[in-house]
């Protein structure tokens, strides 16, 4: 039994069964659906037959029946040869009860499901630890970035004022425009710039996403992407 990447929103089951086990597909599907809620799971089943020279142990009742049949036949046909050991074994093998392969197959599937669930749980714990480490790191980076914005705006404000003054002096218009007007213009440009680089909303949205990721990791279960 194998599991593919959990890239779907629902449970996707695929079966690779020999013809003699096709009737088990509904029962296998029910077992898998009860154990898993999402992901892609493929179940393969192969039956290994016994070697031809592997014989069942003849049972007393089989031998008794064969002996009676042999006596009846030889009573009517005195020249008929007796049964050989090979013929007796063939008859016993043919008359042996069929192996309960369906039960063995379902039992094997149940063991595989238990193993897969345990493997997914271990993988999930490792992945949750990695994700929580990333979430904590993103929180730290967001906390570091937030106070940087006002400092950037302040530096840009001084740069605007410096550039406006330099441009007006080069053009000779500095004598006709008051310093207050220059400062007001620089402040307006800085305000427009601060709006463009304001990341407060993005940081708030990021924190919201991180809170939701943390909640889902703590809840556990099959949450997918």
């Amino acid at each position: 039994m194998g599991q593919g990447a959990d890239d779907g929103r629902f449970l996707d089951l695929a079966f690779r069964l020999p013809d003699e086990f096709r009737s088990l597909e509904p029962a296998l599907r029910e077992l898998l659906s009860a154990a898993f809620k999402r992901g892609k799971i493929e179940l393969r089943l192969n039956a290994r037959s016994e070697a031809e020279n592997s014989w069942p142990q003849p049972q007393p009742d089989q031998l008794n029946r064969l002996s009676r049949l042999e006596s009846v036949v030889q009573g009517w046909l005195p020249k008929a040869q007796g049964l050989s050991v090979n013929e007796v074994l063939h008859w016993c093998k043919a008359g042996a009860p069929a192996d309960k392969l369906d039960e063995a197959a379902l039992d094997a599937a149940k063991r595989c499901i238990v193993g897969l669930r345990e493997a997914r749980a271990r993988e999930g714990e490792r992945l949750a630890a990695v994700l929580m480490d990333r979430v904590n790191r993103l929180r730290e980076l967001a906390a570091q970035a937030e106070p940087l914005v006002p400092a950037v705006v302040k530096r840009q404000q001084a740069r605007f004022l410096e550039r406006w003054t330099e441009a007006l002096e080069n053009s000779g218009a500095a004598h006709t425009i008051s310093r207050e007007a220059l400062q007001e213009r620089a402040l307006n440009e800085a305000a427009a710039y601060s709006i463009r680089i304001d990341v407060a909303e993005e940081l708030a949205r990021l924190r919201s996403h991180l809170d939701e990721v943390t909640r889902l990791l703590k809840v556990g279960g099959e949450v997918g992407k």
Side-chain angles (χ1 to χ4, degrees), residues 15-199:
F15 296 91
R16 302 289 184 270
L17 306 176
D19 291 339
E20 60 267 29
F21 292 110
R22 288 293 179 187
S23 60
L24 292 181
E25 183 171 333
L28 293 171
R29 185 177 297 275
E30 183 177 354
L31 287 174
L32 289 167
S33 300
F36 305 102
K37 300 304 178 185
R38 61 190 304 122
K40 183 175 181 179
I41 298 176
E42 182 177 290
L43 187 145
R44 298 186 184 93
L45 178 60
N46 294 309
R48 183 176 61 190
S49 61
E50 293 183 347
E52 290 297 327
N53 59 354
S54 178
W55 299 94
Q57 180 69 33
Q59 300 300 312
D61 60 327
Q62 293 177 318
L63 296 176
N64 287 332
R65 286 198 303 272
L66 285 175
S67 178
R68 289 196 301 270
L69 288 172
E70 184 181 35
S71 297
V72 171
V73 171
Q74 290 179 337
W76 284 92
L77 303 171
K79 295 183 180 181
Q81 295 182 356
L83 293 171
S84 67
V85 173
N86 185 54
E87 290 171 335
V88 170
L89 289 176
H90 270 291
W91 276 96
C92 290
K93 182 179 180 180
D99 294 335
K100 297 181 178 179
L101 296 181
D102 287 2
E103 294 182 9
L106 291 175
D107 183 65
K110 292 175 183 178
R111 293 197 303 271
C112 289
I113 289 173
V114 172
L116 180 56
R117 286 178 61 87
E118 292 174 350
R120 291 183 69 171
R122 292 191 299 269
E123 181 183 359
E125 290 175 358
R126 292 193 294 269
L127 182 58
V130 172
L131 290 176
M132 284 300 299
D133 182 67
R134 300 291 176 86
V135 166
N136 293 333
R137 181 55 180 159
L138 287 172
R139 290 188 190 277
E140 294 175 0
L141 292 175
Q144 295 172 10
E146 191 168 18
L148 298 178
V149 176
V152 172
V153 173
K154 187 174 182 180
R155 288 197 302 271
Q156 194 63 28
Q157 178 181 339
R159 189 175 295 114
F160 280 137
L161 182 57
E162 180 182 348
R163 289 179 179 177
W164 272 102
T165 302
E166 182 181 353
L168 291 175
E169 288 180 351
N170 292 336
S171 64
H175 301 292
T176 61
I177 301 177
S178 65
R179 184 171 182 81
E180 289 76 12
L182 289 175
Q183 187 173 5
E184 182 180 358
R185 181 61 178 171
L187 290 174
N188 289 337
E189 291 291 339
Y193 177 77
S194 66
I195 292 175
R196 291 197 301 273
I197 69 168
D198 187 10
V199 293

